[in-house]
Amino acid sequence: MLTPSRKGEGRVAENGFNIILREVKMAFSTTTRRNLFRCMRRIINRKTVTTQADMLKFGFMFDIDGVIVRGKKLLPYVKEAFQLLTDRYGNFRVPAVFVTNAGNTLRQDKAEQLSEWLDVKVSSDQVVMSHSPLKMFPEFHDKHVLVSGQGPVVEIAQNLGFSKITTIDQLRQVFPNLDMVDHKRRRSSPREEDMRLFPPVEAVILFGEPVRWETNLQIIIDVLLTNGKPMYAPREIPYPHMPVLACNMDLLWMAEACMPRFGHGCFLTCLEHLYMKITGRELKYTGLIGKPSGITYHHADSILWHQAKSLGIRQLDTLYCIGDNPETDIYGANLYNRYITKRQEEQMLKVKVQNAAGGVAHLQDVDSDDDMEGLVHYTEDNEAGRHFARNCHSILVCTGVYCSSRDYVTYDSSQMSNHNHRDFVLDPELKQPKIVTANVHEAVKFVLQKEGLS
């Protein structure tokens, strides 16, 4: 249980309460005294809660795979970590969100899974999937999109606001001649009417790694080369190609195996190289979503603020991002910290300009780093926009992709790994965690101690 470090406050309040009791007993009847006692007790309790909320000016962003679980196996000391953050009923007393690059399930399903693993109450509002920020791309919601991934991809797309959805499997049913690798799945002849009535694809959404990579790679490239009309071979390859939105850039992720597994970043690498080899041009993304993209942290920051507000917390000064991968979790947290630092500097400059002008002055938008480019698409509500965190600290745990005893992923060696997506700058500083701990339990204990809570 979290308790204020200023323990004397409770005793002072109680002594004052006893003095008032004696005065009230002498002045009022029994019935009136009971009502007054209840009222005063509620006021004192409310003051205690307010004091607790005023002290909480931080929140957590937890990765899931490699931090909480590996595959479906709960890691040691995880439940103990979350007991420190919740009350005896399993309700969170400290703002916390779960930010994962997984994209093969719905937020509600992931929340229920987390609740079962942790024995605490996790709501869907506390879960940020790799695809969650796609809600902030309304300009694509009415377009006919081709979606790639696994799991309930149609339902996921619908929940994000997309209305015209075609899956890879649905498209290959209409155009069976496109998928020719697996001889057993070949169909003899397509239906001309189905192909003729098929509406052109207007954008491609990549949720995560598919099951049949060869099928998805072939069909996605076919759609890009034909500008969404795979029934006709183009005279010239269209370029720029149609919009492509990709979620989850993890090259590797940690499951039950002793070594990291291929992630969606591997699939994207294959797609990019095939497109370049075939066309001689670079595949361009309209948006890259999921860690380490700044838009994901921006989105999670906004969600964390709304949770803090519901707990009576007025301002979150610091975010603590706990992850197992220096290439995504740590890189993304440090990149977001750069962004909010630059944002604060720009706000201070704006105030100075306004004061110097004696009124309202207008500044151009901050020149964002290339890696933060996705933030321009994000639309935040005005209230949340005024309460973004002032600091974002990265904490690396050694229970997942990163492990001090192997060199698949490194951040401090002379031979540094580079598993980031090609569109992100290789910056060794961004991969340096602020803190390294053995596991999530040690990370949470460190934060609580640092913040003066026990």
Side-chain angles (χ1 to χ4, degrees):
M1 178 180 293
L2 298 175
T3 56
S5 58
R6 301 191 291 264
K7 297 180 180 177
E9 290 184 0
R11 291 196 296 271
V12 172
E14 193 63 35
N15 290 337
F17 184 68
N18 290 334
I19 293 171
I20 295 172
L21 286 182
R22 287 197 297 271
E23 298 293 331
V24 170
K25 286 179 180 177
M26 292 186 291
F28 296 97
S29 65
T30 302
T31 303
T32 305
R33 287 202 305 266
R34 287 174 181 168
N35 292 334
L36 284 171
F37 295 161
R38 293 192 189 101
C39 180
M40 286 186 290
R41 180 67 69 182
R42 284 197 298 270
I43 292 171
I44 290 174
N45 288 341
R46 191 180 302 123
K47 176 62 178 174
T48 302
V49 172
T50 302
T51 301
Q52 176 87 354
D54 287 342
M55 292 184 66
L56 289 171
K57 294 185 178 180
F58 65 95
F60 287 95
M61 291 186 188
F62 292 99
D63 185 25
I64 297 176
D65 293 306
V67 174
I68 294 173
V69 294
R70 281 178 57 172
K72 295 183 179 180
K73 183 179 179 181
L74 191 70
L75 287 165
Y77 308 112
V78 169
K79 288 187 178 181
E80 290 84 346
F82 285 90
Q83 287 171 1
L84 297 173
L85 304 178
T86 54
D87 60 23
R88 59 180 176 172
Y89 302 108
N91 298 309
F92 278 89
R93 303 183 65 175
V94 177
V97 294
F98 300 85
V99 185
T100 176
N101 265 352
N104 60 350
T105 189
L106 299 166
R107 291 171 64 201
Q108 182 59 44
D109 293 340
K110 182 60 71 175
E112 291 174 0
Q113 194 174 43
L114 285 165
S115 299
E116 183 178 345
W117 282 334
L118 304 177
D119 288 336
V120 301
K121 297 175 182 177
V122 179
S123 72
S124 59
D125 291 335
Q126 290 177 269
V127 177
V128 178
M129 309 295 291
S130 63
H131 48 65
S132 295
L134 286 176
K135 286 184 176 180
M136 309 306 159
F137 289 75
E139 63 269 33
F140 294 102
H141 290 172
D142 291 329
K143 293 184 180 295
H144 180 206
V145 297
L146 176 68
V147 295
S148 170
Q150 56 182 293
V153 290
V154 173
E155 192 174 357
I156 290 170
Q158 289 172 338
N159 285 350
L160 292 169
F162 296 95
S163 57
K164 303 171 185 176
I165 304 157
T166 295
T167 67
I168 294 289
D169 195 55
Q170 288 170 340
L171 192 144
R172 65 173 288 274
Q173 294 294 331
V174 178
F175 303 98
N177 290 341
L178 299 182
D179 184 19
M180 302 298 289
V181 175
D182 188 344
H183 291 231
K184 295 179 181 178
R185 296 210 307 167
R186 290 183 181 180
R187 286 174 51 193
S188 55
S189 59
R191 293 181 57 184
E192 293 292 335
E193 184 178 3
D194 290 344
M195 293 195 296
R196 182 172 52 82
L197 296 176
F198 185 80
V201 174
E202 298 172 283
V204 177
I205 312 293
L206 307 175
F207 283 136
E209 62 269 26
V211 176
R212 290 180 172 269
W213 287 32
E214 77 285 352
T215 295
N216 290 54
L217 289 169
Q218 178 72 74
I219 289 179
I220 291 168
I221 288 178
D222 286 337
V223 167
L224 295 176
L225 298 185
T226 61
N227 202 27
K229 306 169 186 175
M231 69 287 287
Y232 303 116
R235 283 191 165 188
E236 294 183 359
I237 295 174
Y239 198 83
H241 54 70
M242 71 173 58
V244 178
L245 297 167
C247 311
N248 180 4
M249 293 157 277
D250 280 349
L251 191 77
L252 303 171
W253 68 287
M254 202 68 191
E256 292 94 340
C258 61
M259 296 182 294
R261 303 292 85 194
F262 289 167
H264 193 217
C266 287
F267 179 82
L268 296 181
T269 300
C270 294
L271 180 64
E272 292 154 11
H273 280 76
L274 284 170
Y275 186 84
M276 170 63 81
K277 194 71 173 177
I278 293 169
T279 68
R281 295 175 174 137
E282 190 175 78
L283 180 70
K284 298 286 188 180
Y285 295 97
T286 305
L288 285 167
I289 317 298
K291 297 179 291 187
S293 173
I295 190 174
T296 294
Y297 289 85
H298 197 68
H299 179 63
D301 193 355
S302 176
I303 290 175
L304 203 56
W305 153 242
H306 284 293
Q307 187 189 354
K309 182 183 174 185
S310 69
L311 295 172
I313 299 170
R314 301 171 187 173
Q315 173 67 48
L316 287 179
D317 288 341
T318 306
L319 306 179
Y320 292 98
C321 301
I322 302 177
D324 69 306
N325 192 339
E327 311 275 359
T328 52
D329 304 310
I330 305 306
Y331 185 107
N334 291 338
L335 181 64
Y336 188 60
N337 189 59
R338 279 189 185 178
Y339 166 74
I340 55 181
T341 299
K342 192 171 184 178
R343 178 190 178 106
Q344 291 171 45
E345 292 172 351
E346 193 69 17
Q347 291 298 322
M348 291 174 63
L349 178 60
K350 185 174 182 178
V351 171
K352 289 180 180 178
V353 172
Q354 288 175 348
N355 291 339
V360 178
H362 296 283
L363 290 178
Q364 292 182 345
D365 292 336
V366 180
D367 292 332
S368 60
D369 298 331
D370 290 342
D371 294 335
M372 301 299 288
E373 190 175 1
L375 289 184
V376 300
H377 292 282
Y378 184 80
T379 55
E380 65 198 36
D381 62 80
N382 292 331
E383 184 179 26
R386 293 193 297 269
H387 292 86
F388 283 117
R390 297 186 174 97
N391 301 283
C392 183
H393 295 329
S394 55
I395 302 179
L396 179 65
V397 296
C398 304
T399 50
V401 169
Y402 175 78
C403 179
S404 57
S405 63
R406 59 174 182 255
D407 63 355
Y408 291 108
V409 177
T410 60
Y411 69 88
D412 59 355
S413 67
S414 57
Q415 189 175 2
M416 183 170 292
S417 61
N418 178 23
H419 297 167
N420 281 343
H421 187 268
R422 57 136 215 239
D423 290 354
F424 283 76
V425 175
L426 176 60
D427 186 340
E429 287 186 8
L430 290 175
K431 295 168 59 174
Q432 291 281 344
K434 193 170 185 69
I435 301 295
V436 180
T437 65
N439 52 53
V440 68
H441 186 221
E442 294 298 321
V444 169
K445 287 198 301 183
F446 169 83
V447 171
L448 297 183
Q449 183 177 8
K450 181 177 181 294
E451 295 289 341
L453 297 170
S454 58

